Amino acid sequence: MFASHAQRKGVIRRNIDNYEKLSIYLSPNGEAVSQAVCLPEKIAAAYFSEALGFIEKLHPYRHQISESYEEFSTKYTKIIEEKRYSCARIRRKYALKGIKYELDSLGVSFDYRGAWLSKLRGACYIVIAAFTGCRDGEIKSFNIDSYKEKKYAGIKVSVLHGNHTKPNVGGVSRETSWVTIPSVKKAIELLWDAFRFAREGWRSQAADIEHFDERHKFLRDIDSLFVTLPYLTGYQPRAGKQSLAHSLRTFVRSVDYRATREDVNEFDLLNPTREGDLKVGEILEVHPHCFRRTFAVYLVRNKLASLLDIKYQFKHMNIAMTSWYASQANLASHFDMMIDSDLQDEIAGENKNYTADIFYYLYNDAETLAGPEGRRIKNLRAEGDFTVYLSKEEILKQVEEGRLSITEHPGGYCTNPNCDRICDMSVCQYKVVTLKKARSLIPTREKLMAKYNAMLASGIDMPNVISKIYFEIRSIEKVFSEHNIDFDIFNGQDFHI
DNA sequence: TGTATACCATGACGGTCCCT
DNA sequence: AGGGACCGTCATGGTATACA
């Protein structure tokens, strides 16, 4: 019903007809995979950067927020109790009297329902979820002590500790750890301190609970990151599923990012079972689980670094995150951490999907290809070799068996299963360059030419370096000519080996 | 003119229930 | 077990109106 309502409203168009079949067909291991949505890159960047900016801006004022909100809500409650002013507007006005307006310029708004605080909660949740890949349950198990920093090879690495909600067979509860970014610390602190007044409110109510165990549980719930406001109709301190969904929606709506044609295409590509759900001009609403898949997808597609670049202060974390990605969680073992195995599986699955997608494109769709391996594929296609026209299933099978593998380089793809990403690729026999990659080499070539000229002009006598740059420019030009990209031939001094 | 109230639509919050 | 539908409550904000 909700779906049809949303459909009428034009929010979504959800086609669940072949849901099960499609998911099994598309999953790398032939089993149904979780149907979480993966956010297109632009949308993810819009949401994440807004959430990060929100947190960065408000983090220093978190104590002040709590104090002012406490003042506002006690005044407001008193007005209600005294039955003064029948109009909410006037109640609000008087409750706001005397409250410091420094927060006003920061966009902090005071409302008795806690709508603004709900938005804050949504922003913090997004940052925690987006940069850890945690499960919803785990995120809710975090508290102020969950964030730790460890040193690894001279790099400061942020780690989050959470208790596994599901106990093992023996009833032993496991601790799970997640590599993350420093902003998560700020998100946790902001959430914790801005809601302090709410927590205090709940705490004072706990005294009325007579049964010891009940009171104990109540007090434990209060020490959660996500609490509701104590003076409303709610009677549970912990923010439930629905309240969090509201928070996420409030936040996403406030961002007001409208999907473009490009976003819709990417959405359909990333979420084949939900093709058509997102339409141009719509706001993509998020759910707690979508961040986990988005995390896995971006980790594999090596875009996490670009998302992390949103704020310059995260740059140093790229190294740790990237090495974690590159060494397949080797870093985790250094920390003696239990990395969530489901997430590992999800990452591995995405890796296969990604590889298969690229091969499918190379074998069947790509119009022009360059590089030795690219030429080989092109020739095979020209000869009508039927083995080249592989179906996605066949490709996936080969990927799983380790017969096909792909490594992404700045200038192209490498099909060598043992590629260590160290070679310069200019003469690599496994090299494949697609048109898109070739186009991305245009600025690279310009930079190289500038470098070449600068080195030559300064009279530095480094023939090895200069010749390397020269041959790199020439190899890029070769790629250009194979893709019919126009360029003026670089006429640097010719080298002879 | 400033302040308070009435009425109304909207929609957010956070709970329970129900379905898959 | 988790997601969504549904529900009750009530803040919010627009407009109209009454009063000092």
Side-chain angles (χ1 to χ4, degrees):
Chain A
M1 271 176 85
F2 174 74
S4 61
H5 179 71
Q7 211 170 329
R8 272 200 304 278
K9 290 272 177 180
V11 179
I12 59 153
R13 191 174 67 79
R14 189 163 291 180
N15 176 17
I16 53 167
D17 292 358
N18 292 317
Y19 177 99
E20 216 64 49
K21 243 173 104 181
L22 251 176
S23 70
I24 290 166
Y25 170 69
L26 290 163
S27 79
N29 41 18
E31 288 163 21
V33 290
S34 70
Q35 283 305 298
V37 169
C38 175
L39 306 178
E41 189 180 6
K42 285 252 178 64
I43 297 179
Y47 293 173
F48 295 175
S49 68
E50 181 84 9
L52 284 167
F54 198 69
I55 286 161
E56 291 290 326
K57 187 175 74 178
L58 295 163
H59 180 262
Y61 302 92
R62 58 197 191 279
H63 298 293
Q64 212 179 326
I65 290 168
S66 176
E67 282 159 25
S68 299
Y69 246 96
E70 182 166 30
E71 199 185 336
F72 172 75
S73 62
T74 38
K75 273 190 189 167
Y76 204 109
T77 312
K78 208 171 154 216
I79 290 168
I80 289 174
E81 278 166 5
E82 290 170 358
K83 292 193 164 61
R84 277 158 60 207
Y85 312 113
S86 62
C87 179
R89 198 190 332 250
I90 309 299
R91 281 204 288 262
R92 210 168 101 95
K93 191 184 155 193
Y94 276 85
L96 274 171
K97 244 183 197 171
I99 287 182
K100 299 268 189 300
Y101 274 88
E102 297 159 57
L103 296 175
D104 223 37
S105 58
L106 291 163
V108 180
S109 69
F110 292 89
D111 54 298
Y112 196 61
R113 301 291 298 172
W116 185 85
L117 283 171
S118 179
K119 184 187 162 189
L120 175 93
R121 182 163 55 204
C124 291
Y125 185 94
I126 285 177
V127 166
I128 299 170
F131 294 104
T132 58
C134 285
R135 253 189 231 98
D136 183 50
E138 255 100 20
I139 291 171
K140 285 179 185 150
S141 82
F142 290 149
N143 61 30
I144 191 69
D145 299 318
S146 298
Y147 181 91
K148 301 262 160 58
E149 280 172 355
K150 294 195 176 190
K151 280 239 169 195
Y152 169 72
I155 311 166
K156 198 168 75 180
V157 177
S158 309
V159 179
L160 265 181
H161 290 281
N163 281 320
H164 219 283
T165 41
K166 293 175 216 154
N168 289 338
V169 185
V172 187
S173 88
R174 276 194 313 188
E175 195 178 68
T176 317
S177 306
W178 319 78
V179 179
T180 184
I181 60 169
S183 267
V184 168
K185 183 190 185 190
K186 288 189 177 175
I188 289 175
E189 284 176 353
L190 178 58
L191 208 46
W192 186 262
D193 291 327
F195 277 86
R196 194 187 51 80
F197 78 100
R199 227 170 259 111
E200 297 290 312
W202 287 115
R203 214 179 294 284
S204 66
Q205 288 182 29
D208 298 337
I209 302 172
E210 286 183 16
H211 195 283
F212 175 80
D213 287 342
E214 232 175 89
R215 187 170 64 240
H216 203 69
K217 187 190 176 298
F218 192 85
L219 284 168
R220 223 182 27 240
D221 277 354
I222 291 167
D223 283 333
S224 144
L225 274 184
F226 299 92
V227 292
T228 55
L229 298 187
Y231 48 81
L232 297 180
T233 48
Y235 58 87
Q236 279 183 7
R238 215 199 279 245
K241 273 180 256 171
Q242 292 283 329
S243 59
L244 205 75
H246 282 305
S247 299
L248 290 175
R249 196 165 63 164
T250 308
F251 181 80
V252 162
R253 284 187 182 179
S254 79
V255 175
D256 197 36
Y257 179 90
R258 306 279 164 171
T260 63
R261 182 76 257 158
E262 203 183 320
D263 296 328
V264 171
N265 291 343
E266 196 182 341
F267 178 89
D268 290 343
L269 190 77
L270 292 167
N271 308 288
T273 60
R274 292 168 191 269
E275 204 172 328
D277 279 8
L278 180 70
K279 283 186 236 138
V280 177
E282 286 177 357
I283 295 174
L284 180 58
E285 302 223 330
V286 296
H287 298 280
H289 50 260
C290 79
F291 300 109
R292 200 172 151 81
R293 180 149 127 78
T294 306
F295 180 82
V297 168
Y298 284 104
L299 207 57
V300 167
R301 308 209 168 198
N302 211 8
K303 284 177 179 171
L304 195 72
S306 68
L307 286 179
L308 289 170
D309 265 340
I310 291 162
K311 286 237 173 279
Y312 65 93
Q313 62 261 51
F314 310 130
K315 268 186 182 158
H316 67 285
M317 272 315 300
N318 289 355
I319 305 158
M321 289 294 270
T322 313
S323 60
W324 183 52
Y325 156 69
S327 59
Q328 296 286 331
N330 266 356
L331 192 62
S333 65
H334 282 285
F335 292 136
D336 205 17
M337 297 190 322
M338 293 272 275
I339 280 286
D340 179 8
S341 62
D342 290 348
L343 186 60
Q344 292 253 45
D345 290 349
E346 200 142 342
I347 291 166
E350 280 306 330
N351 222 336
K352 289 177 196 163
N353 279 334
Y354 184 46
T355 307
D357 279 354
I358 293 170
F359 271 112
Y360 187 82
Y361 176 70
L362 296 181
Y363 283 160
N364 300 310
D365 289 345
E367 281 173 22
T368 54
L369 289 172
E373 178 71 6
R375 274 195 295 277
R376 193 184 70 85
I377 293 170
K378 217 166 71 179
N379 290 339
L380 284 171
R381 283 206 311 222
E383 287 163 18
D385 187 333
F386 65 92
T387 57
V388 173
Y389 292 89
L390 292 170
S391 74
K392 212 152 189 176
E393 280 167 307
E394 288 169 304
I395 293 172
L396 266 172
K397 201 154 168 273
Q398 295 207 15
V399 170
E400 273 167 45
E401 288 165 1
R403 281 189 281 143
L404 284 179
S405 104
I406 202 111
T407 311
E408 196 172 353
H409 287 253
Y413 297 100
C414 179
T415 58
N416 179 6
N418 301 315
C419 178
D420 53 13
R421 301 183 78 175
I422 293 172
C423 78
D424 63 6
M425 266 208 115
S426 51
V427 290
C428 176
Q429 56 166 318
Y430 297 102
K431 185 182 181 184
V432 183
V433 187
T434 60
L435 184 58
K436 197 180 167 196
K437 280 280 176 194
R439 286 207 182 104
S440 77
L441 290 174
I442 295 171
T444 309
R445 175 171 165 270
E446 270 159 21
K447 270 183 210 155
L448 284 170
M449 291 193 298
K451 199 170 169 186
Y452 178 93
N453 289 331
M455 283 186 87
L456 220 58
S458 66
I460 301 170
D461 188 24
M462 293 174 84
N464 281 340
V465 178
I466 295 178
S467 67
K468 189 178 175 293
I469 295 171
Y470 176 78
F471 284 117
E472 201 150 348
I473 294 167
R474 296 314 292 265
S475 90
I476 290 173
E477 287 179 351
K478 196 159 180 248
V479 168
F480 284 176
S481 54
E482 282 179 49
H483 284 289
N484 298 321
I485 296 173
D486 288 339
F487 66 97
D488 297 325
I489 293 166
F490 181 63
N491 45 17
Q493 170 195 337
D494 230 337
F495 283 92
H496 303 282
I497 304 169

